Amino acid sequence: MSIGSIHRDSGLRRYAVMRTIPVALAGLLVVGAPHLRAENTGSSPEKTAKQSDAHWSKVSVELPTSLTPFPAGEGAVIANAQCLICHSAGMVLRQPARTQEQWKETINKMRSAYGAPLPAEQVDALAAYLSRLISDGKGS
Amino acid sequence: MKRSVANPASLPRRHFLAGASGLGLAGLLGASSWPAWAGGLIELPFANGRRELVTNFPQKGAMILQRTRPPLLETPFEVFDQGVFTPNDRFYVRWHLPNIPTSIDPANFRLKVRGQVRQPISLTLHDLLHDFPPFEIAAVNQCSGNSRGLFSPRVTGGQWDNGAMGNALWRGVRLKDVLDRAGVGAGAVQVRFKGLDTGVLPQTPDFMKSLAVDHARDGEVMIAYEMNGEPLPLLNGFPLRLVVPGWYATYWVKMLEDIEVLDKPDDNYWTSKAYLIPDTPGANVTPEQKGVKMVPINRMVPRSFFTSLTDGAAVGRGQTLNVRGIAFGGDTGVAKVLVSADQGRRWQEALLGANYGKYSFRQWEFPLRFATAGRQRLMVKTVNAAGVTQPDRPNWNGGGFMRNVIESIAVEVS
């Protein structure tokens, strides 16, 4: 099983869902009728199993990537080097306003629970940066 | 609450500014009046609540972008007015770990059952389709932190509005039947589930969740290979997903590939340290409260919503409106839905729609006539089959879990 397109550097890539043509047609026959299916649970298992079998073709997709870096500022270099290893910046930028102490707690959880390789001596600087970055009334 | 700068008062708060549906303001003003955001912007009703509406995730229509990697995508609330089942291409998405396989060939896929079993087994999708009786159930899948953005004081985590939930008809096999094929050992205590997603760093714990053996074998917990009559979208767990009816979605492991029967309680991070709630009624504490016993999140609690009207909607005086919404009972069915138009003094019973089973959304409808002009507040709550209803005041906990306060919206009668 391949694992791909995690560290892409270009944004908004088109995705492709690759299926054979007959399967795509079979898919169309049942799509859009979930309500009917709900009341139709008595259908013969063999028939439904065959229909289900037709769905089982390979699925390949591409996931979009985020190009958004952390905004410039003291501490941005740390944020870009550390936070982006595991998640895009948007998750951080969409948080509510928090104090430096609250951010320290979160950063330390990232270090202890998830193994972020952030040196202890950078925690304060990163927490200060994040608390400045998102303050009340900003970013909304 | 906050309104978008570009949002005239006549538009409800969750109105799309430039939705892909073409209903948005962009359609009125012309696309050139707007910056080139992929699908427009939406303003969620809390501070720092501006979100992009995106259409660039595979097998997904317009979704509210909460995080690109790993993906967190919220269902725009208008979708819940369209029917009792949430379409697959609008069903919310929530991943913990960033390395998500993007290509899955069912011919090579195997589901393993191992641990405290008589005989470890490895099943193909063909085995699941042909060697086990099919099982179907309609059930709500709701993120533990659905509505977290509405917590006050705010808490960190995915800043969802109310759209981190969906209802689907799940089809697959009973987990019990699969476990019985392997033969659960006498000393079994819990069953642990793991998907194909992994972290980038070797230190990041694999995402795994566990259920008690008796729960796993209750005949309702299932392994789904279809939702709403189609294979699952990859981002909802293709090809297999655990379905735990009545329980929060953290247990509904996606891309399920490994089932391990344990002879002692699971101590892995995601089961024993994450997703803990205070062991208090409604998982409710004050922000100052310390030393409260914490337990793993578990059964869902009842909720109900307006779907045909949004907060701030304009309605005509003297007009009778069939106000509509959805409800679910949490870990059991909806007994009734009650609507109040007088600040909760008097509650009147709504008409319930078709019953798709006790774990499903249930639609409700209530005719309301607005006699006097001005601002009027509407409230809705449900009572489930166990007699449990929704609280008057919002709960609070540090995880932002299990919000189910009575919903209320304002309408402008003129």
Side-chain angles (χ1 to χ4, degrees), chain B residues 178-238:
Chain B
V178 170
L179 289 172
D180 287 353
R181 175 72 57 95
V184 173
V189 173
Q190 282 189 325
V191 183
R192 181 159 71 187
F193 307 92
K194 188 173 95 60
L196 290 170
D197 48 325
T198 59
V200 172
L201 303 163
Q203 306 92 298
T204 304
D206 283 342
F207 184 75
M208 299 189 284
K209 296 295 289 188
S210 297
L211 297 174
V213 167
D214 287 350
H215 186 188
R217 301 185 70 237
D218 72 356
E220 285 187 335
V221 177
M222 66 174 291
I223 299 165
Y225 47 68
E226 283 182 12
M227 63 189 279
N228 295 328
E230 288 282 286
L232 285 70
L234 183 130
L235 288 174
N236 294 110
F238 182 86

Side-chain angles (χ1 to χ4, degrees), chain B residues 62-143:
Chain B
M63 300 294 286
I64 299 168
L65 180 66
Q66 295 283 5
R67 183 174 68 196
T68 303
R69 171 179 171 263
L72 298 184
L73 307 174
E74 176 164 349
T75 301
F77 209 78
E78 57 161 24
V79 171
F80 300 111
D81 193 47
Q82 293 164 9
V84 84
F85 291 103
T86 314
N88 292 359
D89 68 349
R90 310 300 297 279
F91 211 96
Y92 87 99
V93 167
R94 193 270 184 262
W95 289 86
H96 299 83
L97 302 177
N99 284 346
I100 300 164
T102 53
S103 181
I104 293 182
D105 185 352
N108 303 328
F109 184 86
R110 298 290 182 275
L111 172 66
K112 297 181 289 292
V113 185
R114 62 195 179 88
Q116 300 298 309
V117 294
R118 188 182 64 243
Q119 174 67 51
I121 54 175
S122 174
L123 300 169
T124 64
L125 291 171
H126 188 271
D127 295 335
L128 290 170
L129 283 161
H130 297 280
D131 294 359
F132 296 87
F135 179 68
E136 274 190 339
I137 198 165
V140 173
N141 172 291
Q142 182 187 208
C143 178

Side-chain angles (χ1 to χ4, degrees), chain A residues 17-50:
Chain A
V17 180
M18 289 177 250
R19 291 190 176 163
T20 63
I21 289 165
V23 168
L25 290 175
L28 286 174
L29 293 178
V30 291
V31 84
H35 299 244
L36 298 177
R37 286 291 302 272
E39 297 169 280
N40 196 20
T41 52
S43 62
S44 110
E46 309 87 77
K47 190 181 165 196
T48 319
K50 274 181 195 148

